[in-house]
Amino acid sequence: MTSKGSLDEIFLAEPRGFCAGVDRAIEIVERALQRFGAPIYVRHEIVHNTYVVDDLRAKGAIFIDDLNDVPAGATLVFSAHGVPQAVRAEAARRGFQVFDATCPLVTKVHVEVAKLAKEGYEFIMIGHKGHPEVEGTMGQLTEGIYLVEEAADVARVRPTKNKLAVVTQTTLSVDDAAEILAEVKRVFPHVREPKQQDICYATQNRQDAVKVMAPAVDVVIVVGSPTSSNSNRLRELAERLGTEAHMIEGAQALQPEWFEGRQRVGLTAGASAPDVLVQAVIARLRELGATSVRRMDGVVENVRFPLPRGLGDRSMAESAASAAASAVSESSRS
């Protein structure tokens, strides 16, 4: 029998879990499976969550990284993280039926890069090397875009043109990105910043919720997969605020010793983690002694992005660009 210790109350962050871009990406794969049948090929994990990927794989999705693994005539979905232009061109050359699940907020960054490149700009991109979103954004150009992962990297950037702009990965720590951006502006005072910040509304809202929650609890649990950038940032943020934090993929990973002598546990989830995992964690925490759940106040997210043409009955009148603008507007009000 499990010892209950002193664990008593669960503080549930608001908002948490799926964002509009993730919800849209998953729906694209599910509707493609319904309409065209299995298999549906997906370049890269559709979103960074093991539970979601395994569920879609069981339904008939095949996840690939190389287009050579996609047979002729197949239906292909691009993941929510976006793809380089070279991948788009190759998919078109091979004649695949393509549905683009790139988050409209990532697409907004791609459009900005393409527009400014035509005006003669080079770019600094703030992001994590190897992340598919970073590879997708940097892959919008063949040259003239420089990656910086931390403030110290800025000094190593050597632009070849006088016009320089900065863009960021959408799932970064808001505070870390601001620190790096400040260094970019110090070294390159005339750098052009985005008209609206690139970090997405959902990333910011979830980080803001943790900033409120972490000081009120004894330990923070983040539901998310290790590959999820925004989930990792939530854990790091809680720790930076002085609260012990653990990131788990599901309830089975909870360790009773984390809660010994702790009364209050904070619970949140990354933007690619489904609520079913959160509910399972709550059930397990109740087994460990928690008797109540307190839902914290937070931003209510009402963003919804349209599906690509050919995949459903949602209105197509709103373009991805206007949907992204709506999300940015909501973020500015939060």
Side-chain angles (χ1 to χ4, degrees):
M1 185 174 179
T2 303
S3 172
K4 291 191 175 183
S6 59
L7 181 60
D8 180 47
E9 190 170 18
I10 302 168
F11 285 60
L12 196 57
E14 296 286 355
R16 66 185 181 282
F18 278 0
C19 65
V22 165
D23 187 57
R24 172 181 180 268
I26 295 169
E27 188 172 359
I28 286 172
V29 177
E30 290 181 333
R31 291 206 179 200
L33 284 164
Q34 292 167 4
R35 179 154 298 191
F36 305 106
I40 295 295
Y41 290 82
V42 184
R43 187 184 183 275
H44 195 70
E45 294 183 347
I46 187 67
V47 298
H48 281 157
N49 185 268
T50 302
Y51 178 93
V52 170
V53 169
D54 287 347
D55 180 64
L56 292 174
R57 185 180 286 117
K59 294 175 180 177
I62 297 177
F63 296 91
I64 55 94
D65 290 315
D66 190 334
L67 295 191
N68 287 321
D69 295 328
V70 183
T75 298
L76 175 67
V77 175
F78 293 148
S79 82
H81 312 97
V83 298
Q85 284 296 329
V87 172
R88 290 186 183 279
E90 178 68 7
R93 186 185 70 79
R94 292 181 177 230
F96 300 136
Q97 177 173 232
V98 174
F99 292 102
D100 189 357
T102 303
C103 174
L105 296 175
V106 175
T107 298
K108 177 182 75 72
V109 178
H110 291 184
V111 170
E112 183 79 356
V113 168
K115 173 179 176 292
L116 292 180
K118 290 179 179 178
E119 297 176 15
Y121 280 85
E122 290 188 311
F123 299 87
I124 288 176
M125 176 159 198
I126 302 172
H128 298 298
K129 184 177 181 180
H131 190 280
E133 182 189 328
V134 170
E135 292 177 349
T137 298
M138 295 189 71
Q140 300 305 299
L141 304 177
T142 56
E143 60 182 0
I145 186 165
Y146 309 94
L147 179 64
V148 300
E149 297 188 85
E150 54 188 38
D153 295 336
V154 178
R156 293 190 282 272
V157 175
R158 297 287 186 271
T160 62
K161 298 180 180 179
N162 293 327
K163 300 170 78 173
L164 185 66
V166 61
V167 295
T168 69
Q169 183 180 335
T170 64
T171 54
L172 297 179
S173 158
V174 174
D175 295 333
D176 287 349
E179 178 183 336
I180 299 170
L181 179 58
E183 179 64 7
V184 170
K185 292 165 68 175
R186 187 190 70 80
V187 176
F188 302 103
H190 301 297
V191 69
R192 174 170 175 157
E193 297 180 60
K195 293 179 181 177
Q196 299 280 357
Q197 71 164 13
D198 291 334
I199 294 176
C200 87
Y201 77 95
T203 295
Q204 179 159 3
N205 288 345
R206 281 150 188 73
Q207 289 179 21
D208 288 346
V210 167
K211 287 180 179 180
V212 173
M213 180 178 70
V217 300
D218 302 308
V219 59
V220 168
I221 301 299
V222 178
V223 180
S225 290
T227 50
S228 168
S229 175
N230 74 88
S231 298
N232 277 287
R233 305 295 82 77
L234 295 176
R235 176 187 54 78
E236 292 170 357
L237 177 57
E239 291 175 340
R240 185 178 300 173
L241 293 168
T243 304
E244 181 182 323
H246 303 275
M247 191 174 71
I248 61 171
E249 290 203 82
Q252 72 282 356
L254 289 171
Q255 302 297 315
E257 57 267 26
W258 294 344
F259 311 107
E260 292 177 0
R262 313 286 176 82
Q263 291 184 314
R264 297 173 299 276
V265 55
L267 179 59
T268 188
S272 52
D275 194 58
V276 63
L277 298 181
V278 175
Q279 296 308 314
V281 170
I282 291 173
R284 177 57 179 151
L285 289 172
R286 287 188 181 278
E287 292 177 356
L288 294 171
T291 59
S292 64
V293 177
R294 178 188 299 187
R295 294 181 180 272
M296 305 195 72
D297 293 334
V299 174
V300 177
E301 295 175 346
N302 295 311
V303 178
R304 187 163 169 83
F305 294 133
L307 295 173
R309 291 187 181 278
L311 272 188
D313 52 6
R314 270 200 227 169
S315 171
M316 293 299 112
E318 182 183 15
S319 68
S322 63
S326 173
V328 170
S329 177
E330 174 163 317
S331 176
S332 69
R333 294 195 299 270
S334 64

